Amino acid sequence: MNEKVETIKKELENSLKKVNDMKSLNDVRVEYLGKKGKVTELSTHMKDLDNNQKKEFGKILNNLRKSVENSLESLKVKIEEEELNKRLEAESIDVTLPGNKLHVGSIHPLNKIIKEVEDLFISMGYDVAEGPEIETDLYNFELLNLPAGHPARDAQDSFYINDELLLRSQTSPVQIRTMLANKEKTPIRIICPGKVYRKDNDDATHSHEFHQIEGLVVDKDISMNHLKGTLEAMAHHLFGEDVQIRFRPSYFPFTEPSFEVDLTCFKCEGKGCSMCKGTGWIEVLGAGMVHPQVLKNCGYDPEKYTGFAFGVGVERIAMLKYEISDIRDFYTNNTKFLEQFNKFESGEENESK
Ligand code: PHE
């Protein structure tokens, strides 16, 4: 019997030498300790022995089982360590390898202008207000002092959905919405960026869909001085401190008096160039003092309150600022075109002026 034990030990030694992973280790475990394993099999000889021998043999068997288990366990620890090392080696990262270049997008030039204007006005205590793009005739025209049949409606040939609803042709209805919602509460200081729609034939300088930023201030004692100072601040913020503004009399039904506002050409500094068509001035926006009738329409007593409003085309500002000659470039999602505007982010903006 002892011989058998010794052979099993020898065989085990040999088998263990061949083990190189968890699977083969497990096979050896089954081969020796499994139900039909070599060690288990030995114990079937018990029944042929007398009591004394049984005791003796039992001890031997126990020791054998323990020593097989110990050998298997220490080999298991070794294999686990090896496998872990292998895995760590395979997963190690060579930090010196060149990385993959990430494609970084850029902010759309129109959003850039909107954000720049928003930042300025927020810093001056304005709120940013929004209104729906599908607007009622009442808010888009009627309450803005443009009743049906008014000739000034022709200047904003609009997309009507039915008799009452249209795609808004200007951001001015947000003035109405804000005043109505505030019920004679003052001050009102808002700017409203958004999309507007007009039945224009698309070409290099016209688009049936474009963006405006509306501004509105209503309070006691608001004067032309406030309007001029505010527009000057906006012009300086967008085009630099040297830019001057001038007001030309104009007409909008919802402001009285009304003005077109020009800036000195920031390219030639007023000397005259192709950008300003030799005049030294560039027309950029419409503005005026809120018409008393509009105040009245929205529940504000024009004897007590005054206000100013302005509306600026975002595309127009972006085209001037970035010297873009075709408005359609803004809408074609051409990444080559859009990527150029990354450089304006990194502070090169001032150098390019
Ligand atoms: N809503 C006018 C337009 O689209 C612009 C404007 C706004 C003029 C506010 C004066 C005051 O032409």
Side-chain angles (χ1 to χ4, degrees):
M1 214 45 88
N2 278 343
E3 259 170 46
K4 273 207 171 154
V5 172
E6 285 311 311
T7 356
I8 288 182
K9 277 188 176 168
K10 281 241 167 66
E11 281 172 1
L12 175 72
E13 234 173 76
N14 282 333
S15 311
L16 287 181
K17 272 186 199 150
K18 288 181 210 144
V19 167
N20 54 6
D21 59 10
M22 287 309 246
K23 186 180 175 311
S24 45
L25 181 76
N26 219 25
D27 290 345
V28 174
R29 183 188 304 279
V30 174
E31 188 184 343
Y32 288 85
L33 302 179
K35 263 191 192 157
K36 291 182 184 155
K38 289 182 178 168
V39 177
T40 326
E41 190 137 78
L42 264 189
S43 54
T44 58
H45 296 295
M46 273 296 206
K47 61 180 186 318
D48 309 327
L49 303 173
D50 66 27
N51 272 354
N52 271 345
Q53 286 171 317
K54 266 187 191 159
K55 238 186 185 172
E56 183 89 355
F57 188 56
K59 258 191 205 161
I60 292 175
L61 265 186
N62 260 348
N63 286 340
L64 176 63
R65 183 171 275 276
K66 260 193 204 134
S67 98
V68 175
E69 271 168 3
N70 284 343
S71 311
L72 286 169
E73 186 55 33
S74 50
L75 195 55
K76 183 179 160 210
V77 172
K78 207 175 130 213
I79 290 175
E80 274 176 351
E81 207 178 284
E82 276 171 11
E83 286 190 349
L84 178 67
N85 283 340
K86 254 193 238 161
R87 222 171 345 119
L88 287 178
E89 213 168 287
E91 285 173 7
S92 74
I93 295 168
D94 181 355
V95 289
T96 64
L97 281 175
N100 293 329
K101 223 176 172 186
L102 286 178
H103 182 81
V104 180
S106 52
I107 297 179
H108 194 282
L110 297 178
N111 286 332
K112 257 176 147 64
I113 299 288
I114 291 174
K115 179 147 191 332
E116 257 177 68
V117 174
E118 278 181 2
D119 285 349
L120 170 72
F121 280 92
I122 287 169
S123 80
M124 299 196 296
Y126 283 59
D127 288 328
V128 177
E130 287 192 334
E133 287 172 27
I134 294 177
E135 194 44 282
T136 60
D137 183 89
L138 185 70
Y139 290 177
N140 193 81
F141 287 132
E142 195 96 13
L143 295 179
L144 283 162
N145 215 16
L146 270 142
H150 194 292
R153 283 198 183 202
D154 296 348
Q156 301 187 13
D157 198 1
S158 314
F159 292 105
Y160 272 86
I161 294 163
N162 55 33
D163 285 349
E164 275 152 35
L165 292 176
L166 70 158
L167 296 179
R168 69 177 174 194
S169 59
Q170 48 187 346
T171 41
S172 305
V174 185
Q175 293 185 27
I176 302 293
R177 287 179 174 272
T178 308
M179 282 190 270
L180 286 175
N182 275 280
K183 300 202 169 76
E184 226 177 9
K185 231 178 38 215
T186 48
I188 288 177
R189 286 190 215 104
I190 53 152
I191 55 159
C192 162
K195 261 189 218 166
V196 299
Y197 304 82
R198 289 181 197 177
K199 275 191 192 163
D200 262 332
N201 287 329
D202 293 356
D203 60 25
T205 51
H206 295 88
S207 168
H208 62 280
E209 176 182 333
F210 58 103
H211 299 74
Q212 286 187 333
I213 303 175
E214 189 88 7
L216 172 72
V217 170
V218 179
D219 204 349
K220 286 187 174 137
D221 303 324
I222 295 295
S223 73
M224 279 283 299
N225 277 340
H226 296 116
L227 172 60
K228 191 161 183 233
T230 306
L231 294 180
E232 229 158 31
M234 179 162 75
H236 291 167
H237 185 69
L238 286 170
F239 294 105
E241 292 297 321
D242 299 334
V243 164
Q244 291 168 30
I245 65 172
R246 86 176 171 192
F247 283 43
R248 267 183 299 114
S250 184
Y251 173 75
F252 298 104
F254 32 87
T255 47
E256 182 56 37
S258 302
F259 309 95
E260 299 284 353
V261 181
D262 301 336
L263 305 184
T264 43
C265 178
F266 47 86
K267 199 168 178 198
C268 64
E269 287 163 352
K271 290 186 202 83
C273 67
S274 61
M275 170 114 77
C276 57
K277 299 192 185 97
T279 64
W281 292 94
I282 299 177
E283 180 193 323
V284 288
L285 56 90
M289 301 307 292
V290 181
H291 197 292
Q293 187 60 47
V294 175
L295 288 170
K296 219 184 275 173
N297 289 348
C298 299
Y300 281 75
D301 181 352
E303 298 295 326
K304 276 201 225 153
Y305 301 105
T306 46
F308 68 74
F310 61 88
V312 54
V314 181
E315 277 81 349
R316 172 123 181 95
I317 298 292
M319 286 173 87
L320 291 169
K321 183 160 171 153
Y322 303 130
E323 293 183 36
I324 294 161
S325 54
D326 195 326
I327 196 171
R328 291 167 292 199
D329 285 338
F330 290 125
Y331 315 119
T332 47
N333 292 333
N334 176 354
T335 48
K336 285 244 163 63
F337 169 77
L338 295 171
E339 271 164 6
Q340 302 175 75
F341 299 95
N342 269 342
K343 71 171 192 276
F344 290 99
E345 207 98 285
S346 56
E348 290 170 40
E349 189 176 8
N350 294 331
E351 287 158 36
S352 73
K353 268 197 239 154

